[in-house]
Amino acid sequence: MVTKLYPTLDGKVAVLTGAARGIGKAVADALIENNCKVVIGDILEKEGQEVVDAYNEKAGSKVAAFIRTDVTKYSDNIALFKLAETEFGGVDIALMNAGIATGADSMFTPLDGNLELILKKEMAQIIYHLSYNTDATDDRIIDINTTAVIKGTKVALLHMAKRGGGSIVLMASMAGLYCAPNLSSYNASKHAVVGYTRSFQLMPSICNVRVNALCPFWIDTELAAHIRNSDYEKASHAKVISRSRYATMECLVEGFMTLTTDESRNTQTLKVLPDGLEIEPSSVAPDSFSGNADRETLAEFFPAAVAAGKRALAEALARYEQQQ
Ligand SMILES: NC(=O)c1ccc[n+]([C@@H]2O[C@H](COP(=O)([O-])OP(=O)(O)OC[C@H]3O[C@@H](n4cnc5c(N)ncnc54)[C@H](O)[C@@H]3O)[C@@H](O)[C@H]2O)c1
């Protein structure tokens, strides 16, 4: 892949989750080409280590580091961002990308948690290393795709606030904006990421951190292949997916770079489509939300909320330093 160069990225430090392969790795490749330092957290230890070894060997110096990270755990997220700080002095850029499609189509999966029934072979390959309880199918996709994004973002905010600012990109999906009927839990997990992204209106004023999301259509990775090949999908959705045009990895990387380098962008949801990049506008509030009295209240609310945010951040940073 030919990488476009973005001069403002030179020397920046980036943390990426789920970048041992697929979309995350493609973004990491582009960041390395742009002279960034890269720190990768993933559950795939061998693959992740190989990726950073290759970067370091090519550069002839330490430009990348890997640590086994299960994004669902605060302790792992903290260790990941701390590693970026000890190795490269701080964090400027983050991509919260780790995600799964296992359990996407959950409307009629068993309620009794019978793993024999729930875990088809290909699912087992992906999740065998994770400890599972009987509610696993429904819990895990939300844990990884949604809750872990919130946890990682909270840790990223603290590190970037210390640094004086930064850019966080969250990995949503077109499934965060539109719904294929047989990806119900995946749709829910990604709609939540879109809502979370749109909640960061005040963050540039609080600590100079911008948060945006990418919403890719199909991109040919192992995750897409997993959905394409799963038994249920073979009967229906697989046909649709295999006949669809895919978005390209080049377009996705350009989308990431745009959100990261363009300082005017915040709370944006950027679609990565077969025909290119396109901003998905936020929904417009109904007329009944506004009115003169509300506008005045809102005018008072924003500065007050920024001041409260700054106080809460200072307390969170003090707590964070104490805990470590
Ligand atoms: N490929 C697509 O068509 C597509 C479309 C829209 C959105 N996405 C999103 O893009 C992201 C990357 O997906 P991909 O297509 O590259 O798939 P992928 O399966 O190739 O990569 C996902 C990565 O996440 C890692 N991961 C999974 N669970 C983890 C955990 N608990 N902790 C740490 N790492 C974990 C995996 O080991 C893997 O390296 C996902 O969030 C996915 O939902 C993909």
Side-chain angles (χ1 to χ4, degrees), residues 210-230:
R210 296 179 294 108
V211 182
N212 295 287
L214 286 168
C215 300
F217 190 58
W218 295 113
I219 295 188
D220 203 5
T221 65
E222 301 212 16
L223 179 142
H226 167 70
I227 295 181
R228 215 167 42 220
N229 298 329
S230 59

Side-chain angles (χ1 to χ4, degrees), residues 253-292:
V253 169
E254 192 187 333
F256 172 84
M257 293 301 192
T258 304
L259 294 177
T260 302
T261 56
D262 180 348
E263 301 209 344
S264 70
R265 299 197 189 222
N266 187 46
T267 68
Q268 208 167 77
T269 43
L270 188 61
K271 294 181 284 191
V272 182
L273 301 170
D275 286 332
L277 298 169
E278 200 178 287
I279 295 167
E280 172 76 6
S282 284
S283 349
V284 178
D287 283 349
S288 56
F289 273 27
S290 62
N292 288 339

